[in-house]
Amino acid sequence: MGTFNPKSVEKTLKVKTQNFITYNLPKFEKLKIGHPQKLPFSIKILLESALRNYDDYQITMNDIETL
């Protein structure tokens, strides 16, 4: 698959005066990475955490694909 860029699934959530970075899991299907809609809620949380901490060293694309 090559190098994964987590920014490709990032989404900015604006709440009043603050911005928060979230991860658009449905975009995974468009990128042909997986089907997060079918995952249990607890695994989705782990997946988002892995995306947030992805550095291709401690958290790799293999870890994300495994989830």
Side-chain angles (χ1 to χ4, degrees), residues 45-58:
I45 291 172
L46 293 174
L47 177 59
E48 187 172 2
S49 176
L51 286 168
R52 217 175 310 114
N53 295 298
Y54 174 80
D55 60 2
D56 205 27
Y57 178 69
Q58 288 184 327

Side-chain angles (χ1 to χ4, degrees), residues 4-59:
F4 173 69
N5 183 4
K7 294 202 180 284
S8 63
V9 291
E10 268 187 12
K11 184 176 180 183
T12 303
L13 174 66
K14 294 181 181 186
V15 179
K16 293 188 180 186
T17 59
Q18 293 184 330
N19 291 336
F20 300 94
I21 300 295
T22 62
Y23 291 90
N24 188 352
L25 297 181
K27 222 176 197 185
F28 266 66
E29 289 189 52
K30 291 179 185 174
L31 296 174
K32 298 186 182 186
I33 297 173
H35 303 283
Q37 266 61 4
K38 297 178 181 180
L39 295 173
F41 185 73
S42 57
I43 303 299
K44 288 180 186 179
I45 291 172
L46 293 174
L47 177 59
E48 187 172 2
S49 176
L51 286 168
R52 217 175 310 114
N53 295 298
Y54 174 80
D55 60 2
D56 205 27
Y57 178 69
Q58 288 184 327
I59 305 291

